[in-house]
Amino acid sequence: MSGTFGFALTRTDGAARLGRMQTAHGATETPAFMPVGTQGAVKGVTPAELLACGAQIVLSNTYHLALRPGHELIRDLGGLHRFMGWDGPILTDSGGFQVFSLEGLRRIDEDGVTFRSHLDGSTHTLTPESSMAIQTALGSDVAMVLDECPPLPAARETVEAAVARTTRWARRSRDAYDGPGVPFGIVQGGTYADLRDASVRDLVALDFPGYAIGGVSVGEPPEAIARMARHTAPQLPEDRPRYLMGVGRPEDLVEAGAAGVDLFDCVMPTRNARNGTLFTSEGRINIKREEFRRDPRPLDPACACETCRTASRAYLRHLYVSNEILASRYNTIHNLAYYLGLMAKMRDAIAAGAFASFREAFLATR
């Protein structure tokens, strides 16, 4: 384990956990949400705006950055932190999820995945070793191992084979990685509880600094995601961070926090912002609706973000229907502030020993 990495569990409230993850680029108070910066940028916002929204850590995409501009270029320019102007922690995925989603453009075998680039059709091979080498070049603080993530629906034997291969690839990824950050293992198993159990046992034996719950945002209904999070999280080591990958709606985050999850990521706040769907303390708002044409109120009276301090609902609607770039920026700033503010409320509730009542009140508004 890297000497600069550590995780301290500071309080529990039921299964919910309050913690602190330390990296070479600073600490992250957990539970924490990671805005998704797929190509080295969270769409529409600057690093300074991310900080103002409350971001502590961001996620970036190994697959996309390896193809463009290339991980060697990023390494030669001082690493991803310097390249994107973000001084805080960065977690990078392995690239596996993006490759596996290229159905018809990839072939999986024991060595890795051979795929054709979505950019120019060129052929590439991603192995556990090359994925970790790419993430080493990027200089991320947390590097996710290469895993096999079968899409749903999948037969049990397909998921079982993916779990076994994920373990083999996890060992190869761990052995190949030499920093500067730390690798996290990824639990697979679909919606089969016993396969999740087997995956946890195999990965915990490999002694990773942190663990992710993967394969839970590939088509399952929300109740299945919550069930697998509740089933898997308590089995993971108490003294290591637990990360639920690719989830999701605000209520999903609260439910997973109640199950003992520490880290989250999802494109939902930024993607929905660009589509005009905004999260508020009063529920979701579709800002393009005619009812907001003359509405002088702030988007969310309970929010202190730049958008809510500056723009009325009428103005936000005008920007959106006029296809102004500022619409995406304002909307993204607000949605990120909402998600990151939700994490702060979760942390406060756990610290106060009041998470159960917080959860009940929050879910009652959904």
Side-chain angles (χ1 to χ4, degrees):
M1 188 179 300
S2 168
T4 57
F5 182 89
F7 179 76
L9 188 62
T10 56
R11 169 137 194 182
T12 59
D13 183 8
R17 293 151 49 97
L18 190 67
R20 181 180 177 89
M21 186 175 76
Q22 184 67 47
T23 74
H25 289 90
T28 299
E29 306 295 333
T30 62
F33 181 83
M34 298 180 283
V36 177
T38 299
Q39 302 189 72
V42 178
K43 292 186 187 303
V45 295
T46 67
E49 288 166 337
L50 281 173
L51 286 172
C53 288
Q56 306 174 77
I57 178 173
V58 300
L59 178 147
S60 207
N61 188 288
T62 296
Y63 166 85
H64 286 282
L65 291 174
L67 292 180
R68 184 175 58 193
H71 54 285
E72 298 96 341
L73 182 148
I74 293 175
R75 178 198 61 210
D76 293 347
L77 292 175
L80 184 56
H81 294 84
R82 180 175 296 178
F83 189 63
M84 64 184 288
W86 171 258
D87 294 331
I90 297 175
L91 180 148
T92 47
D93 61 23
S94 67
F97 180 82
Q98 286 70 36
V99 169
F100 294 129
S101 68
L102 297 171
E103 194 162 0
L105 297 176
R106 47 89 172 148
R107 184 184 73 254
I108 305 172
D109 58 28
E110 189 60 29
D111 186 49
V113 191
T114 301
F115 64 96
R116 285 192 285 131
S117 165
H118 72 286
L119 297 175
D120 58 12
S122 57
T123 300
H124 304 263
T125 299
L126 187 69
T127 67
E129 293 79 11
S130 67
S131 173
M132 304 315 281
I134 292 167
Q135 294 179 81
T136 293
L138 296 175
S140 52
D141 299 282
V142 175
M144 303 306 300
V145 303
L146 186 65
D147 63 325
E148 183 176 351
C149 180
L152 290 184
R156 178 187 169 87
E157 55 267 27
T158 300
V159 179
E160 191 169 12
V163 166
R165 178 171 282 158
T166 288
T167 298
R168 295 192 295 272
W169 282 2
R171 182 179 290 107
R172 287 168 55 188
S173 297
R174 182 202 63 182
D175 293 347
Y177 186 67
D178 59 0
V182 294
F184 277 20
I186 304 176
V187 176
Q188 288 291 346
T191 55
Y192 299 97
D194 61 322
L195 296 184
R196 290 271 170 191
D197 297 344
S199 186
V200 168
R201 287 195 301 269
D202 292 344
L203 291 173
V204 169
L206 294 175
D207 194 28
F208 282 98
Y211 294 89
I213 302 170
V216 289
S217 55
V218 289
E220 308 93 325
E223 57 270 20
I225 294 173
R227 186 173 69 252
M228 286 301 100
R230 287 193 301 269
H231 180 83
T232 307
Q235 301 185 59
L236 296 171
E238 186 178 78
D239 63 346
R240 310 291 167 93
R242 304 165 177 173
Y243 164 30
L244 183 62
M245 304 183 77
V247 179
R249 304 175 306 161
E251 51 267 42
D252 297 330
L253 306 188
V254 171
E255 290 285 58
V261 173
D262 307 303
L263 295 169
F264 306 91
D265 83 282
C266 190
V267 298
M268 185 171 284
T270 48
R271 179 175 292 168
N272 279 12
R274 297 192 300 276
N275 293 329
T277 299
L278 305 175
F279 298 91
T280 78
S281 61
E282 301 170 347
R284 294 192 193 188
I285 285 179
N286 185 337
I287 200 62
K288 56 180 163 291
R289 291 174 63 91
E290 175 68 21
E291 68 188 272
F292 301 120
R293 183 171 177 269
R294 300 179 62 87
D295 193 334
R297 295 174 296 167
L299 176 61
D300 186 348
C303 179
C305 77
E306 180 185 2
T307 302
C308 292
R309 294 195 316 268
T310 305
S312 67
R313 296 181 179 189
Y315 185 54
L316 292 173
R317 180 187 181 276
H318 161 71
L319 293 174
Y320 187 85
V321 299
S322 301
N323 201 30
E324 284 288 342
I325 293 172
L326 186 56
S328 288
R329 285 181 41 74
Y330 266 150
N331 292 350
T332 299
I333 286 169
H334 171 76
N335 274 0
L336 286 175
Y338 177 87
Y339 266 66
L340 295 162
L342 176 59
M343 294 292 111
K345 291 174 184 174
M346 288 170 62
R347 294 193 295 269
D348 289 345
I350 297 168
F355 192 81
S357 57
F358 164 80
R359 172 176 171 265
E360 182 180 4
F362 181 83
L363 295 178
T365 67
R366 299 298 98 188

